[in-house]
Amino acid sequence: MRYFEDLEIGAETYFGSYAVTREEVLEFARKYDPQPFHLSDEAAARTHFGRLAASGWHTCAMTMAVIARHVVEEEQAGLGSPGVDELRWLKPVYPGDTLHVRGKIIETRPSQSKPHLGSFRTETTVTNQDDVPVMRFASIVLILRRPDQA
């Protein structure tokens, strides 16, 4: 199990990848972001996207799927996140892209009020198959402290 005490500022993690499919782009858009450029090749061609593009919120969801799978596999003592800061969609994500998710720990902090908890801030960067950044955000993650050190 990976605890707060195991974290190092500056440590980088490759969480994994996600293949973006046309079917998922359309399904997500129909349910959650039904704007024409997420639903129609013709409508998207008339925009700066040039072709069907994934919703930024879909990009967030795909990224979370990659991170969550990694955290479960690595048995991290994480307890979720109170929020995300500085979310930026840098480039469009298209069907056929492969997203790669990387994170860097930029701060660690033991809880002042709950000695069994700590938190850390990460900068997460999502790139496409050409290593072009498509999304970046900072987040705070809550994590258990090692039981014998809390």
Side-chain angles (χ1 to χ4, degrees), residues 1-7 76-79 109-120 141-150:
M1 182 73 66
R2 187 171 178 206
Y3 293 97
F4 173 80
E5 288 75 17
D6 301 318
L7 304 175
Q76 182 172 308
L79 297 173
R109 181 178 296 173
S111 173
Q112 299 299 312
S113 60
K114 297 178 182 168
H116 68 289
L117 291 180
S119 66
F120 61 100
V141 180
L142 301 176
I143 188 168
L144 290 172
R145 299 199 62 191
R146 190 174 304 288
D148 59 347
Q149 296 183 16

Side-chain angles (χ1 to χ4, degrees), residues 18-21 25 37-38 49 51-56 58-60 62-63 89-99 126-129 132-135:
Y18 195 100
V20 182
T21 69
V25 168
F37 45 81
H38 297 317
F49 295 118
R51 57 189 168 117
L52 188 72
S55 165
H58 187 195
T59 303
C60 289
M62 292 182 281
T63 299
W89 294 301
L90 305 169
K91 296 282 183 186
V93 171
Y94 299 108
D97 283 352
T98 299
L99 303 179
V126 181
T127 58
N128 64 19
Q129 65 281 353
V132 173
V134 298
M135 186 174 76

Side-chain angles (χ1 to χ4, degrees), residues 6-22:
D6 301 318
L7 304 175
E8 295 179 28
I9 294 174
E12 296 186 24
T13 300
Y14 177 71
F15 292 104
S17 64
Y18 195 100
V20 182
T21 69
R22 178 181 177 79

Side-chain angles (χ1 to χ4, degrees), residues 5 8 31 35 57 64 146:
E5 288 75 17
E8 295 179 28
K31 287 183 178 180
Q35 298 182 76
W57 297 113
M64 190 64 221
R146 190 174 304 288

